Amino acid sequence: MENDILFKNETYIFSYRTGGILLHDGKILLQKPQNDDYAIIGGHVTAMETTEQTLKREFEEEIRAKIEVDSLMAVGEIFFPWGKRPCHQICLYYKIHLCDPEAIPLSGIFHGYDELGNERINLDFCWVSLEELRKGVKVYPEELIPHILSNEDKVFHFVSRQI
């Protein structure tokens, strides 16, 4: 979206994002872009939008499901390569739940898409068991996974440096 809080210049990129942790029956719903690792579902915050509003919008756009936001789970400061430039991202992660549990498949893989800079990105949405996470399935950001598995109620802060 043109009003995303996403700043780019010749030297670096800054991104303000939010993500939703959707757990059901011992599984977590993740997105998987083609030829990439699993990631937490979410998106860039739009100017004058709260992170909770962003999550609700992103889930409706990407998988056509309405969600409710339960509580803040984690705050991440993430540094990673975005193309040839470094990106500094701030991301707030929330525990969420579906308003209508029958709105999406509750197992397996289903398809959706996202748009970034007027480019369509096809995504697979996958229910991954928490046991698979414990065994080391690669999910971005990796630093968040132990906190998800611990099921602690306190807000977790982490720094992820991939550059």
Side-chain angles (χ1 to χ4, degrees):
M1 282 184 115
E2 63 185 60
N3 291 321
D4 283 351
I5 301 176
L6 177 63
F7 301 104
K8 299 179 181 183
N9 67 25
E10 293 176 14
T11 310
Y12 73 94
I13 298 170
F14 174 80
S15 164
Y16 182 36
R17 188 177 187 279
T18 186
I21 310 300
L22 179 57
L23 300 172
H24 175 76
D25 198 24
K27 297 175 278 196
I28 183 171
L29 185 61
L30 300 171
Q31 67 184 25
K32 189 169 190 321
Q34 294 176 347
N35 303 317
D36 208 345
D37 294 318
Y38 291 107
I40 303 299
I41 299 169
H44 290 104
V45 178
T46 297
M48 307 312 293
E49 181 179 58
T50 69
T51 51
E52 292 182 12
Q53 290 169 327
T54 298
L55 266 183
K56 290 177 181 183
R57 177 179 51 76
E58 289 288 340
F59 271 78
E60 283 191 44
E61 288 174 359
E62 293 179 12
I63 62 173
R64 309 292 180 255
K66 291 187 184 297
I67 61 156
E68 284 299 323
V69 177
D70 297 322
S71 60
L72 181 63
M73 177 183 243
V75 176
E77 297 180 65
I78 305 165
F79 302 87
F80 64 97
W82 185 322
K84 295 181 180 180
R85 292 177 279 184
C87 181
H88 179 170
Q89 182 177 83
I90 303 297
C91 190
L92 278 62
Y93 296 93
Y94 291 90
K95 290 181 184 179
I96 62 170
H97 69 270
L98 291 169
C99 292
D100 176 7
E102 296 179 11
I104 60 171
L106 296 177
S107 62
I109 299 171
F110 58 99
H111 308 287
Y113 69 93
D114 193 8
E115 290 185 24
L116 185 61
N118 296 323
E119 179 182 338
R120 181 182 166 125
I121 302 166
N122 291 321
L123 299 169
D124 288 336
F125 292 90
C126 315
W127 287 99
V128 176
S129 74
L130 298 180
E131 188 58 36
E132 288 179 75
L133 290 187
R134 284 185 188 87
K135 291 179 180 177
V137 168
K138 181 127 179 173
V139 178
Y140 171 81
E142 296 176 279
E143 294 82 357
L144 182 57
I145 301 312
H147 188 65
I148 292 170
L149 293 172
S150 75
N151 202 25
E152 288 183 34
D153 282 336
K154 71 176 191 169
V155 177
F156 173 66
H157 170 258
F158 68 93
V159 175
S160 177
R161 291 191 183 272
Q162 290 133 40
I163 52 173

